[in-house]
Amino acid sequence: MHSFLSRGNAILAYTLSVLSFLTFVCFLSTVLVDSRTGVDINTVKIVVKNVPDYSASREENDLGFITFDLQANLTKIFNWNVKQLFLYLTAEYITPSNVLNQVVLWDRIILRGENADLKFKNMNTKYYFWDDGKGLKGHKNITLSLHWNIIPNAGRLLTVPAIGQHTFKFPEEYTVNRV
């Protein structure tokens, strides 16, 4: 009647169809889950320096140094469909030369099973807060906000902003001593 290969092919095709359907149903079970939570961000130390840019232009640009506190409890975000979280802290500001500036200052990966109750004090930024020009000195409206990407087991990759942000200003004068 049917050969061994055709029966094996039918079983494999049916099995893959059922697994695909179950994966889709599992994805649907977490689509409406709210993945936002509140955070508390504060700046501890804020310094701005004027340093030379060693590119072809040789002009000086602003470099900001920030020390911050961050508290967030991300344990409720983890469910069966969350493999890991990729957190990143961004600074947003407006300058005359650019309508919107976004700079990633810090990031971290939290795997499922790790401690997701974050309580960081006096953290330094992981990346330079470099401005293309002199847009940081005396700037009065820099906004820090935390975002995260949810890496799922099945489904789409979500980018979620935290509830809460922190606004601060840079000093009016450049710091001349070492930071």
Side-chain angles (χ1 to χ4, degrees):
M1 195 148 115
H2 291 290
S3 71
F4 178 73
L5 288 177
S6 68
R7 288 180 185 187
N9 184 27
I11 291 172
L12 181 64
Y14 179 74
T15 304
L16 289 178
S17 298
V18 169
L19 288 176
S20 298
F21 175 75
L22 288 176
T23 302
F24 184 71
V25 169
C26 291
F27 157 68
L28 286 179
S29 72
T30 59
V31 165
L32 300 177
V33 173
D34 186 18
S35 299
R36 296 182 54 179
T37 188
V39 298
D40 185 25
I41 306 168
N42 291 311
T43 48
V44 178
K45 182 179 177 184
I46 305 164
V47 174
V48 65
K49 294 182 82 169
N50 192 270
V51 295
D53 181 12
Y54 293 104
S55 63
S57 63
R58 296 271 185 198
E59 61 187 43
E60 293 191 346
N61 295 324
D62 286 353
L63 181 61
F65 295 95
I66 299 172
T67 304
F68 64 94
D69 294 341
L70 175 68
Q71 291 186 352
N73 189 353
L74 306 175
T75 53
K76 76 170 194 144
I77 296 172
F78 282 93
N79 57 38
W80 70 268
N81 195 25
V82 176
K83 194 183 306 183
Q84 68 183 23
L85 294 177
F86 175 72
L87 308 171
Y88 55 99
L89 182 71
T90 60
E92 294 183 5
Y93 60 101
I94 298 171
T95 57
S97 59
N98 295 315
V99 176
L100 177 64
N101 296 287
Q102 287 183 317
V103 181
V104 175
L105 300 176
W106 174 85
D107 63 15
R108 182 176 199 133
I109 295 174
I110 300 176
L111 301 173
R112 182 190 359 227
E114 289 183 0
N115 183 14
D117 188 12
L118 309 177
K119 293 179 183 173
F120 298 128
K121 297 278 186 197
N122 295 323
M123 292 285 296
N124 292 319
T125 58
K126 193 173 182 181
Y127 307 108
Y128 287 119
F129 194 164
W130 189 269
D131 182 65
D132 245 1
K134 300 185 187 307
L136 295 183
K137 180 178 113 175
H139 200 293
K140 294 180 179 15
N141 193 14
I142 311 284
T143 303
L144 292 178
S145 56
L146 186 70
H147 302 264
W148 50 83
N149 289 7
I150 297 176
I151 315 299
N153 291 313
R156 60 191 175 136
L157 179 73
L158 296 175
T159 300
V160 181
I163 299 171
Q165 47 188 318
H166 175 69
T167 303
F168 69 96
K169 63 180 182 173
F170 273 106
E172 297 288 334
E173 299 296 324
Y174 291 120
T175 301
V176 292
N177 52 353
R178 297 186 80 182
V179 178

